[in-house]
Amino acid sequence: MATQPVDALPKHHKATQGEKMVIAASSLGTVFEWYDFYLYGLLATYISVQFFSGVNETTGFIFALAAFAAGFAVRPFGAIVFGRIGDMVGRKNTFLVTMGIMGLSTFAVGLLPSYASIGVAAPIILVALRLAQGLALGGEYGGAATYVAEHAPEGKRGLYTSWIQTTATFGLFAALLVVIGIRYALGEEAFAAWGWRVPFLISILLLGVSMWIRMQLNESPVFQKMKDEGTTSKAPLTEAFAKWGNLRWVIIALLGAVMGQAVVWYAGQFYALFFLEKTLRVDGATANILIAIALALATPFFVFFGWLSDKIGRKPIILGGCALAAVLYFPLFGALTQAANPALAEAQAAAPVTITAHADECSFQFDPVGKNTFESTSCDIAKTYLAKAGVSYANVEAAPGTIATVSVGSTVFTAPNPASLQGDDRRAAIAAFQGELKAGLVAVGYPDKADNARIDKVAVVAILWALAMLVTMVYGPIAALLVELFPSRIRYTSMSLPYHIGNGWFGGFLPTTAFAMVAATGNIYYGLWYPVVVAAATVVIGLLFLPETFRRNIDD
């Protein structure tokens, strides 16, 4: 007997087998795209050696910046390109295209010859592939969320779309498991030489399975109805962004919901990991395991809060999560320091550190690609070292032209003046200063790294779980909210842009912005003001302007 297409099934049946297939296919494909996206970050060290090691420093910086831009800055442009296609051609075919671009680009990285083989063409092709990935990711989320929401029965859109919200976490888990498994199977030497390519190459199998499953699906019933009636948009970009009636909702969605969701998501998952490793000096393997446990415990709550938003509304849960984050971040990260590196907390209380320098000599150390060494002034040399060492310090203003000094307890260390040094002499002076300063910090109790025996792992996991729970509150219902805010004829375009501006820009730049704020002020918690202020602003704007949407009819 011929299988009925999903949209031909009776309504009572669609709510079971048919719609489960829609959720599974859409979510699996999105997991695959996040898997591809995270591989680059997890294997960045190996990729840099293979493709950037032969170029000069300036060219390497440009390539690194371009590759970074593909990951975050390019995503809104992908939202515009594929959102327009999705509103004109259809949801299903568009996210099939985005999946194909992402999968083939990832597979191609695994085949790409190194710089040693083909010269400068290698990093150029790599950046082109990353740009393609960034554009594809910008188009994928809106398509998957819209497609699932337009299949969901009334009263279950939050529940159904919340499965899409779990995919970023599952994609990260999948990438971690594959990389760890292949590294263990091959050994470090073989993995560094060629094994790092395997996770990219096996993505072609995942692509084949995901594409086959998604191709079994029909177009969304809402889009099919518009197509049959001839009411699809002929100019979705114009309707979405050139007409104030819709543009105002795009702006409200961004400022009153998505920017807060984005910073809470990145703070709870990525900045928490950054803070553990870079500030609290917990070794990478331990930090990854602890945050993986916390995320695994929290992940079911994406679905719970999606379900709850069908009962009480999207707005109170999303804005409630933002409000809790604004209130709890400072105490939670303070508790994280006590639990993960108590020796650091004790040293900061017993032997405070100060930097004496003129303010104009100190840069704001915003460096999204990690290529700037900040060694042009004595102040930058001192602050960079302390910030990377996770040491809090106070700033003392000095007269213009004063060479920066660092006071650790009663001992004073003078930073080198790079203006009077060149080449190897400069590098040697900086290394000597850092060595002396490190010894001085250790002498008064500052740990070089967190003592694994003193880490209260249960407390750390509990704190990370609390941070991840705030993520599930803001992220679980966001897809349903965005789908419901906009009319069906321009929904894909309208919802994708604020989502990817929020998550690509407000969220994506959070770790580097927060680090720069820490380096500028000397307070290891000062970077938290970035997500706190953005989350609090979202609460205010959302309360004033964001409508409740959970009872809306999205067929119009």
Side-chain angles (χ1 to χ4, degrees):
M1 190 173 88
T3 302
Q4 296 185 70
V6 170
D7 293 329
L9 295 171
K11 187 62 179 176
H12 71 277
H13 193 67
K14 282 177 68 177
T16 55
Q17 293 179 354
E19 285 167 359
K20 287 179 180 178
M21 178 69 169
V22 167
I23 294 169
S26 300
S27 299
L28 180 62
T30 310
V31 167
F32 164 68
E33 294 217 27
W34 280 111
Y35 165 85
D36 284 358
F37 192 73
Y38 284 130
L39 276 184
Y40 186 91
L42 291 173
L43 299 173
T45 302
Y46 302 96
I47 290 170
S48 179
V49 170
Q50 293 287 329
F51 300 111
F52 295 142
S53 59
V55 300
N56 64 56
E57 186 175 346
T58 302
T59 305
F61 179 83
I62 293 169
F63 281 139
L65 182 63
F68 178 88
F72 294 105
V74 173
R75 280 168 57 181
F77 299 101
I80 291 172
V81 171
F82 291 108
R84 176 179 179 274
I85 296 171
D87 282 326
M88 294 180 69
V89 177
R91 316 327 192 187
K92 173 191 168 182
N93 289 332
T94 303
F95 69 46
L96 281 173
V97 171
T98 62
M99 180 189 290
I101 292 172
M102 177 69 86
L104 292 175
S105 299
T106 303
F107 180 68
V109 172
L111 296 176
L112 184 61
S114 67
Y115 182 91
S117 300
I118 61 172
V120 75
I124 291 174
I125 296 170
L126 179 68
V127 168
L129 292 172
R130 281 293 289 169
L131 287 168
Q133 284 186 323
L135 289 170
L137 190 63
E140 163 66 17
Y141 176 85
T146 300
Y147 187 79
V148 171
E150 291 179 348
H151 275 90
E154 288 296 322
K156 290 190 175 180
R157 279 192 297 271
L159 173 63
Y160 279 38
T161 57
S162 66
W163 288 98
I164 299 292
Q165 307 308 93
T166 67
T167 58
T169 301
F170 282 129
L172 176 58
F173 277 137
L176 278 169
L177 289 174
V178 169
V179 169
I180 291 168
I182 293 171
R183 177 179 283 165
Y184 179 78
L186 297 179
E188 285 299 322
E189 187 176 341
F191 188 83
W194 59 270
W196 65 270
R197 294 180 180 272
V198 177
F200 290 98
L201 294 174
I202 65 173
S203 71
I204 199 71
L205 301 175
L206 301 174
L207 173 65
V209 171
S210 301
M211 291 285 280
W212 181 81
I213 292 174
R214 280 194 175 183
M215 288 176 73
Q216 308 309 303
L217 303 176
N218 291 328
E219 183 52 83
S220 103
V222 174
F223 186 84
Q224 191 62 53
K225 180 172 180 284
M226 290 191 299
K227 187 176 180 180
D228 293 342
E229 295 173 352
T231 58
T232 57
S233 176
K234 301 297 186 291
L237 293 180
T238 302
E239 286 190 49
F241 308 126
K243 295 182 179 179
W244 176 246
N246 193 73
L247 178 61
R248 69 184 293 264
W249 292 118
V250 172
I251 296 170
I252 289 170
L254 173 62
L255 303 181
V258 180
M259 73 174 186
Q261 166 263 304
V263 297
V264 172
W265 184 38
Y266 274 83
Q269 292 193 180
F270 300 106
Y271 188 66
L273 180 60
F274 174 92
F275 190 81
L276 269 181
E277 285 192 57
K278 305 300 183 183
T279 302
L280 302 185
R281 318 295 288 173
V282 175
D283 72 271
T286 301
N288 282 328
I289 291 169
L290 294 174
I291 205 157
I293 293 170
L295 290 176
L297 294 172
T299 294
F301 289 89
F302 286 111
V303 178
F304 170 77
F305 284 116
W307 168 83
L308 186 62
S309 76
D310 287 327
K311 309 298 180 185
I312 67 172
R314 326 292 183 208
K315 186 173 171 176
I317 298 173
I318 294 170
L319 298 186
C322 289
L324 285 171
V327 171
L328 295 177
Y329 271 175
F330 281 101
L332 282 174
F333 277 84
L336 192 59
T337 301
Q338 295 286 346
N341 195 340
L344 177 63
E346 293 160 4
Q348 287 177 166
V353 176
T354 60
I355 288 182
T356 301
H358 184 58
D360 291 346
E361 303 270 323
C362 308
S363 305
F364 186 70
Q365 298 185 14
F366 181 75
D367 178 26
V369 298
K371 288 285 185 178
N372 195 328
T373 55
F374 293 104
E375 294 177 352
S376 59
T377 69
S378 59
C379 179
D380 282 353
I381 291 169
K383 287 195 170 188
T384 298
Y385 179 79
L386 290 175
K388 288 181 177 178
V391 175
S392 280
Y393 56 85
N395 291 285
V396 178
E397 184 65 15
T402 301
I403 303 301
T405 59
V406 180
S407 299
V408 180
S410 59
T411 308
V412 178
F413 301 87
T414 302
N417 179 12
S420 62
L421 298 166
Q422 299 296 325
D424 291 341
D425 290 339
R426 175 190 284 197
R427 284 187 286 273
I430 292 171
F433 166 74
Q434 291 174 341
E436 292 169 4
L437 183 53
K438 179 180 178 179
L441 290 167
V442 170
V444 295
Y446 283 89
D448 182 38
K449 60 181 180 179
D451 182 354
N452 203 51
R454 292 193 66 190
I455 297 174
D456 186 340
K457 295 181 176 63
V458 173
V460 169
V461 168
I463 295 162
L464 294 174
W465 177 80
L467 292 169
M469 285 296 291
L470 297 175
V471 175
T472 65
M473 286 184 70
V474 299
Y475 201 50
I478 196 75
L481 171 78
L482 292 174
V483 166
E484 292 160 349
L485 265 179
F486 300 104
S488 54
R489 56 189 280 114
I490 54 171
R491 177 171 294 138
Y492 198 148
T493 304
S494 298
M495 73 165 286
S496 295
L497 187 65
Y499 176 83
H500 285 291
I501 289 177
N503 286 276
W505 295 356
F506 281 93
F509 289 106
L510 186 152
T512 47
T513 303
F515 178 82
M517 293 169 69
V518 168
T521 61
N523 184 335
I524 62 172
Y525 305 111
Y526 194 80
L528 294 172
W529 280 113
Y530 175 73
V532 164
V533 169
V534 173
T538 295
V539 172
V540 174
I541 296 168
L543 286 173
L544 292 176
F545 301 107
L546 187 70
E548 183 51 76
T549 62
F550 77 116
R551 290 195 175 97
R552 286 188 177 181
N553 178 2
I554 67 165
D555 295 343
D556 300 328

